[in-house]
Amino acid sequence: MAEYRPEEIESKWQKVWEERGIFRVSEDPDKPKYYVLEMFPYPSGRIHMGHVRNYTIGDVIARYKRMRGFNVLHPMGWDAFGLPAENAALKHGVHPADWTYDNIDYMRRQLRRLGFSYDWIRELATCDHEYYRHEQLFFIQMLERGLAYRKKTLVNWCPSCHTVLANEQVEDGACWRCGTEVIQREMEGWFFRITAYAEELLAGLEKLRGKWPEKVLTMQRNWIGKSEGAEIEFAVEGFPERITVFTTRPDTLYGVTFLSLSPEHPMAERLAERAGLTQALADFRERCRRARREIEEGLAEKEGLFLEAHAIHPLTGARVPIFAANFVLMEYGTGAVMAVPAHDQRDFEFAKKYGLPIKVVIQPEDRDLDPEQLEEAYEAPGIMVNSGPFTGLPSEDAKRAVVEHLEKEGLGRRRVTYRLRDWGVSRQRYWGCPIPVIYCDRCGIVPEKPENLPVKLPLNAQLDEAGRSPLPKLESFVKTTCPRCGGPARRETDTFDTFVESSWYFARFACPEAKDPLDREKAHYWLPVDQYIGGIEHAILHLLYARFFTRVLRDLGYLDLDEPFERLLTQGMVIKEPYRCPKHGWLYPEEVSPEGTCLKEGCGEKVIVGRPEKMSKSKCNVVDPDEMIRRYGADTVRLFMLFAAPPERDLEWSDHGIEGAYRFLKRLYQLVKERAGELWEVKAYAGDGRDLSPELRALRRKTHQTIRKVTQDLEERLHFNTAIAAVMELINFLEDTLKKVSPNEPALQPVLKETLRTVVLLLAPMTPHLCEELWEALGEEGLISEAAWPSFDEEAAREEEVTIVVQVNGKVRDNLRLPPGADEETVREAALASPKVKRHIEGKTIRKVVFVPGRLINFVVA
RNA sequence: GCCGAGGUGGCGGAAUUGGUAGACGCGCUGGAUUCAGGAUCCAGUGGGGAUACCCCCGUGCGGGUUCGAGUCCCGCCCUCGGCACCA
């Protein structure tokens, strides 16, 4: 019996694909285009199961669309700048470039072994100056348009990575990469004006409804954080300047009893100076910066510093004290808040702590608020009280009325504020794209001339042992001449956030050889990406930056689209249960006995099996793709990744599960190989089925039903697990049929050929190597990778008989096999003839009959 | 606290529009084959009662709508994810 040898089959077909270059694409006006993209990997060394899953899903879509006649762009590249390269360099004494390129070579081989249908000609690595030079040009152009700028501000500093992080890159107050708590630090750096696009980025989400996961849309919406309200100006006693506050509750204006300023607010500084509190304020500001994490998590108690100054209420003229408060952020709104303790919980707590007055200006309908008795702020709407001319209005209406009044008086205006902050892109790191600006003592900040690009990252740098960037000390890099005046000048030594590279790589894939950053025509042909696939961890980060950058490139004239990714699939993680011994800690599966005891040093302790979680080396619950490919072959690994769960859900790794996938492929291989000889020259059945025996007609029906089912699952839902299940069902059905049908039946071989041919075609996007092999064995022409997707015959798929469920009082009592068109009368008679039904009806009256044609009949009796 | 997703056999998961709950796979049980193990093949496999026909119960919990609810409505519990002093 033929033995399934995946390693032979797989290398054979990978070579054929490679030699014939069948996955290379170019623009073809005669075919509809389809661009499938998976988030490109960071070349960390080896691919992990998460990559395998991500890229398998993408490959199935690419191969399927190709079979459907699309001109498919399916590229792959490397997100090759980043900190791990520098860390590895320090640890192993290799240069980040060597480390990165070695990893790329290894990982490329791994991807090839999995049989992914990439157009490798388009491969790119972002650390290549032929890639990042274009990004430097974008930056210069952004600078001209004010979309990039430099400012000094409080930034998130990761002490372990020795660099600044953008707000999006801080999770729960910690660095997203290494988990170290970030500290607040005042620094100069470069920013991209993403806030200029806040409204457009928010509005664009609407168009993605139904095409992106709702969850991602919600997360982005929250992150942008639009809120509508008003700016209101307060005069300051003894000062010419006014303090402008932002509020979403102008209706509570009459309830203001004090103002809170951010400790970073310039006015706080001025007031403190006058009151001789400069040192006190500086200390307070320092404390707030240090405790930022606690403050943001709401753990820190509210704290304030009275600045011994008063503001004048714009409408009542009342004197209200001014505080610096630890919970007021300089970066949001105006950095100043009007405090309404009766109707804002934060202000309430602050007022209680410092004994400040509480003034009720909104009354709920069902009770009376007494400021003396309040235990928490009343934040809901109600009826205005103590509010001058606005008293008696519903608070929701008063919001507008108050603002209109202020606008008339020149004391305030409507204002929309976003939570989104500008994107800080400066990184104090070596292994990244140099920011192409020069500092000249005479001319100030000067961008590099476009013709001098790229500003190459020097590869001769000696890495600093403490992990700091060597660039500032590298004279040959820093020392330069000013592009404007020709005098001596210094280069910027910060590099870009690596998210800048990944913000436009999908566009470069459309025209990787273009001399210009992008070839408008090619980009226009290929973009947008029709299907993008990647992890949910980039719900905000990469996906928001890429949406922003696409719009910038549009406004710079490079692209003519708004949204880069038409459809988005966020695949779940690959997870596995970890094992832990009370004495020896985390264990590898092979360190656990079949009885569930620890095998380390003859320990014998009962092993604790954790709930499945993300694979990580530290918990010893990783599965190595190389090892699995070696054991079972790429097709089996791919099949299991697709079969074990629908793509958006987490996938639990199972050693038994992958065995099952292997078993299935082996069975299919043997089935086809056994029959291949006799079927070689047989033509697939092409009749109308009337000449077939009932068994063969049924097999044919199942075949066409399966084509329909698999097509739907791949086309509409991307639910590969149910598609595979359907093919398995077909094979089970085929084997049952073979047992029932005489081998001499003349139509057997054509029908069998049709079925096997179909099975192989349907599985081809998922397990391409095996299917090429079986396609060839069946005597079919050409490569299955280039074959057309099968179409189904509606007539052949139609059931000759349908199952009609018979219920009595809603309980299933029997089922009938009848022709699909059977009318109520026929069904009713057949149903009443059934003894199983009779038993439940006898002696009772039929009150009602519910008939659903082709499905069911229900007798309601009493 | 707010928002979102989810809760179905021993396990991963099906059930696309309110119409036979548990497809497909794993595991398990029994049998065949084998010196034996493995591999393979066959049969069974939600729970309970009867072991012959059948009957009752069953999709997190409690209500409801309906001839009929995993699916719709109301209330609650639990798990996971995101956001959270953003004025």
Side-chain angles (χ1 to χ4, degrees):
Chain A
M1 205 196 279
E3 199 179 330
Y4 174 42
R5 291 186 202 282
E7 66 285 9
E8 286 171 19
I9 294 173
E10 290 171 6
S11 58
K12 168 180 165 187
W13 292 104
Q14 282 162 17
K15 224 172 117 204
V16 172
W17 297 333
E18 164 83 37
E19 281 166 5
R20 302 201 196 166
I22 61 169
F23 302 127
R24 276 178 224 156
V25 276
S26 54
E27 302 71 39
D28 178 349
D30 299 330
K31 278 185 176 175
K33 70 94 185 179
Y34 197 88
Y35 185 178
V36 197
L37 184 66
E38 303 112 49
M39 291 180 185
F40 67 166
Y42 177 77
S44 57
R46 337 185 85 208
I47 58 166
H48 53 69
M49 277 298 172
H51 292 125
V52 176
R53 188 176 191 203
N54 189 174
Y55 302 157
T56 298
I57 292 167
D59 196 50
V60 174
I61 296 170
R63 285 175 177 272
Y64 168 73
K65 288 290 177 182
R66 226 173 260 126
M67 292 175 81
R68 291 303 301 249
F70 286 86
N71 191 30
V72 174
L73 174 58
H74 188 212
M76 180 45 74
W78 312 96
D79 188 11
F81 271 139
L83 209 61
E86 289 180 67
N87 295 339
L90 287 177
K91 207 165 151 195
H92 303 118
V94 260
H95 192 278
D98 296 333
W99 184 82
T100 302
Y101 280 107
D102 285 351
N103 287 347
I104 288 176
D105 285 340
Y106 188 84
M107 290 169 75
R108 187 191 302 110
R109 277 204 301 279
Q110 288 185 299
L111 296 183
R112 282 180 185 276
R113 268 207 300 279
L114 281 157
F116 297 139
S117 60
Y118 298 124
D119 178 359
W120 282 108
I121 301 251
R122 292 169 188 261
E123 177 182 356
L124 57 82
T126 57
C127 62
D128 181 348
H129 56 74
E130 287 307 303
Y131 178 81
Y132 67 69
R133 64 182 304 160
H134 305 299
E135 189 168 305
Q136 293 177 333
L137 182 62
F138 296 150
F139 176 80
I140 291 169
Q141 294 169 342
M142 288 170 77
L143 204 56
E144 285 165 6
R145 295 183 173 229
L147 289 172
Y149 65 96
R150 193 171 166 80
K151 73 172 171 186
K152 186 176 191 181
T153 180
L154 270 192
V155 292
N156 311 297
W157 176 263
C158 173
S160 154
C161 298
H162 295 280
T163 191
V164 165
L165 299 170
N167 293 315
E168 289 80 7
Q169 294 155 21
V170 178
E171 299 172 344
D172 293 332
C175 171
W176 74 298
R177 260 198 197 285
C178 69
T180 308
E181 187 167 333
V182 304
I183 55 175
Q184 296 298 303
R185 194 167 154 176
E186 200 166 37
M187 269 181 83
E188 286 218 21
W190 290 98
F191 286 81
F192 283 169
R193 208 177 293 280
I194 191 171
T195 52
Y197 290 83
E199 187 58 41
E200 203 195 328
L201 289 168
L202 180 68
L205 296 174
E206 292 304 314
K207 283 179 250 161
L208 298 173
R209 276 248 175 85
K211 298 191 274 185
W212 278 35
E214 196 53 45
K215 178 177 181 171
V216 175
L217 297 178
T218 307
M219 284 169 71
Q220 292 216 354
R221 211 173 286 126
N222 290 341
W223 188 263
I224 295 169
K226 179 179 184 172
S227 57
E228 295 178 66
E231 269 179 11
I232 302 176
E233 291 182 11
F234 284 73
V236 184
E237 233 175 43
F239 275 84
E241 299 96 329
R242 293 171 161 195
I243 292 173
T244 306
V245 301
F246 172 72
T247 180
T248 53
R249 294 293 305 274
D251 53 319
T252 63
L253 180 55
Y254 282 81
V256 171
T257 56
F258 58 101
L259 295 189
S260 305
L261 303 185
S262 161
E264 319 278 345
H265 197 288
M267 231 11 229
E269 189 69 52
R270 297 274 321 266
L271 297 175
E273 225 170 89
R274 185 181 65 174
L277 291 168
T278 306
Q279 191 53 46
L281 179 67
D283 292 348
F284 181 55
R285 192 162 51 216
E286 216 23 66
R287 261 206 317 284
C288 292
R289 283 185 198 178
R290 270 200 306 271
R292 174 77 161 239
R293 185 174 183 169
E294 288 74 36
I295 291 170
E296 289 201 340
E297 283 173 11
L299 300 172
E301 207 178 308
K302 304 223 167 359
E303 207 183 322
L305 177 70
F306 179 43
L307 295 170
E308 293 173 20
H310 290 82
I312 307 300
H313 192 288
L315 299 184
T316 65
R319 290 177 82 228
V320 295
I322 306 174
F323 285 78
N326 64 348
F327 61 91
V328 181
L329 309 171
M330 192 56 219
E331 307 83 58
Y332 183 79
T334 60
V337 184
M338 62 177 218
V340 186
H343 306 293
D344 182 287
Q345 187 58 25
R346 294 160 300 189
D347 299 337
F348 180 83
E349 286 167 31
F350 194 90
K352 281 281 174 199
K353 176 158 176 175
Y354 292 100
L356 296 159
I358 296 171
K359 184 180 171 195
V360 170
V361 292
I362 292 173
Q363 284 289 0
E365 313 225 343
D366 55 338
R367 65 200 152 104
D368 252 357
L369 297 183
D370 174 3
E372 306 292 307
Q373 314 248 307
L374 272 188
E375 287 188 0
E376 55 176 19
Y378 175 77
E379 297 184 331
I383 299 296
M384 307 278 288
V385 295
N386 298 326
S387 294
F390 303 99
T391 299
L393 277 180
S395 61
E396 288 300 300
D397 300 345
K399 279 185 180 169
R400 195 158 16 109
V402 170
V403 178
E404 276 168 11
H405 179 71
L406 290 169
E407 276 176 343
K408 232 176 283 163
E409 303 289 316
L411 296 166
R413 62 209 66 86
R414 266 182 51 110
R415 160 93 191 260
V416 175
T417 297
Y418 300 88
R419 204 186 81 113
L420 182 70
R421 317 275 157 81
D422 278 337
W423 173 16
V425 292
S426 286
R427 295 292 177 272
Q428 293 66 36
R429 300 302 324 177
Y430 165 65
W431 192 236
C433 170
I435 299 177
V437 284
I438 289 153
Y439 299 99
C440 169
D441 286 340
R442 238 180 304 172
C443 311
I445 297 171
V446 184
E448 183 55 278
K449 283 187 182 155
E451 57 268 33
N452 291 343
L453 297 182
V455 176
K456 287 188 192 172
L457 181 68
L459 296 179
N460 60 349
Q462 191 60 47
L463 290 197
D464 184 295
E465 276 162 38
R468 280 184 295 263
S469 169
L471 290 180
K473 287 189 191 156
L474 195 66
E475 280 292 295
S476 59
F477 178 75
V478 176
K479 263 181 84 173
T480 186
T481 50
C482 171
R484 198 166 291 161
C485 71
R490 286 166 298 111
R491 269 189 199 289
E492 169 66 83
T493 55
D494 282 356
T495 52
F496 279 130
D497 180 359
T498 58
F499 279 105
V500 178
E501 282 86 65
S502 54
S503 290
W504 68 287
Y505 77 110
F506 52 89
R508 184 70 190 173
F509 273 141
C511 46
E513 300 101 41
K515 280 263 178 298
D516 293 327
L518 295 169
D519 177 322
R520 269 190 73 93
E521 267 178 44
K522 291 186 175 180
H524 182 73
Y525 176 83
W526 288 115
L527 292 171
V529 173
D530 294 278
Q531 179 69 62
Y532 197 35
I533 308 151
I536 186 80
E537 66 274 17
H538 287 113
I540 293 171
L541 292 161
H542 161 58
L543 290 168
L544 187 65
Y545 295 146
R547 294 182 63 227
F548 159 65
F549 220 80
T550 301
R551 287 164 167 86
V552 169
L553 293 179
R554 176 199 64 193
D555 293 347
L556 293 177
Y558 290 104
L559 295 174
D560 49 9
L561 79 158
D562 304 329
E563 288 293 341
F565 313 122
E566 181 70 14
R567 304 188 77 91
L568 173 69
L569 173 67
T570 48
Q571 102 269 0
M573 289 184 297
V574 180
I575 56 173
K576 191 179 187 307
E577 74 281 10
Y579 303 109
R580 199 160 54 82
C581 166
K583 284 200 189 126
H584 294 94
W586 302 107
L587 300 177
Y588 289 103
E590 54 272 20
E591 292 170 329
V592 180
S593 72
E595 293 76 36
T597 56
C598 177
L599 293 175
K600 246 183 179 173
E601 301 166 340
C603 162
E605 281 280 343
K606 184 100 182 111
V607 170
I608 301 146
V609 181
R611 74 149 74 197
E613 58 180 299
K614 185 172 177 167
M615 291 184 172
S616 79
K617 276 186 197 139
S618 61
K619 297 205 172 155
C620 304
N621 63 340
V622 284
V623 175
D624 176 26
D626 279 350
E627 169 69 10
M628 291 300 124
I629 295 168
R630 196 185 57 71
R631 281 239 280 271
Y632 303 106
D635 283 333
T636 295
V637 174
R638 294 170 58 123
L639 186 72
F640 176 69
M641 285 283 143
L642 297 164
F643 182 63
E648 65 280 3
R649 245 197 271 186
D650 283 350
L651 181 152
E652 198 180 324
W653 181 265
S654 152
D655 292 332
H656 288 301
I658 193 162
E659 287 277 352
Y662 183 63
R663 207 146 49 210
F664 170 73
L665 292 185
K666 200 158 66 174
R667 205 173 119 212
L668 174 65
Y669 178 82
Q670 278 160 4
L671 175 68
V672 176
K673 280 287 186 171
E674 266 168 35
R675 299 277 173 167
E678 57 180 286
L679 294 178
W680 176 264
E681 300 219 298
V682 173
K683 275 218 164 77
Y685 181 84
D688 63 4
R690 264 181 278 191
D691 55 328
L692 299 177
S693 64
E695 286 79 15
L696 288 183
R697 209 159 51 234
L699 175 58
R700 231 185 132 236
R701 187 180 312 122
K702 186 79 179 171
T703 301
H704 284 263
Q705 288 172 343
T706 305
I707 299 173
R708 182 170 59 197
K709 166 77 176 153
V710 172
T711 305
Q712 274 171 7
D713 283 348
L714 297 193
E715 192 70 44
E716 293 155 25
R717 306 199 309 161
L718 304 178
H719 275 203
F720 312 104
N721 56 332
T722 50
I724 293 166
V727 177
M728 288 173 165
E729 260 188 84
L730 175 58
I731 289 182
N732 292 343
F733 196 92
L734 167 68
E735 289 187 332
D736 288 346
T737 304
L738 288 174
K739 279 180 222 155
K740 283 191 261 177
V741 172
S742 151
N744 303 322
E745 201 166 320
L748 173 62
Q749 289 184 336
V751 172
L752 191 55
K753 177 96 172 208
E754 186 190 21
T755 300
L756 290 177
R757 195 179 171 279
T758 301
V759 164
V760 174
L761 282 167
L762 295 179
L763 289 175
M766 311 189 235
T767 56
H769 313 86
L770 174 64
C771 291
E772 287 286 6
E773 182 74 13
L774 298 180
W775 186 248
E776 183 186 59
L778 285 169
E780 296 285 351
E781 295 287 321
L783 294 174
I784 201 166
S785 300
E786 296 183 300
W789 187 252
S791 52
F792 61 93
D793 178 347
E794 201 66 66
E795 197 51 45
R798 177 165 301 147
E799 291 286 355
E800 287 171 22
E801 285 190 324
V802 292
T803 304
I804 294 184
V805 172
V806 185
Q807 299 181 343
V808 178
N809 284 344
K811 290 194 177 186
V812 179
R813 295 303 177 188
D814 200 1
N815 53 67
L816 309 166
R817 296 287 296 171
L818 290 169
D823 62 4
E824 181 165 354
E825 199 53 37
T826 320
V827 174
R828 186 188 177 119
E829 267 170 40
L832 291 174
S834 156
K836 292 183 192 172
V837 176
K838 269 188 194 158
R839 190 179 327 153
H840 293 95
I841 288 184
E842 257 164 356
K844 294 171 182 159
T845 355
I846 298 175
R847 293 276 159 95
K848 189 173 173 183
V849 180
V850 181
F851 176 64
V852 183
R855 293 226 81 129
L856 122 168
I857 188 161
N858 185 14
F859 297 99
V860 184
V861 302

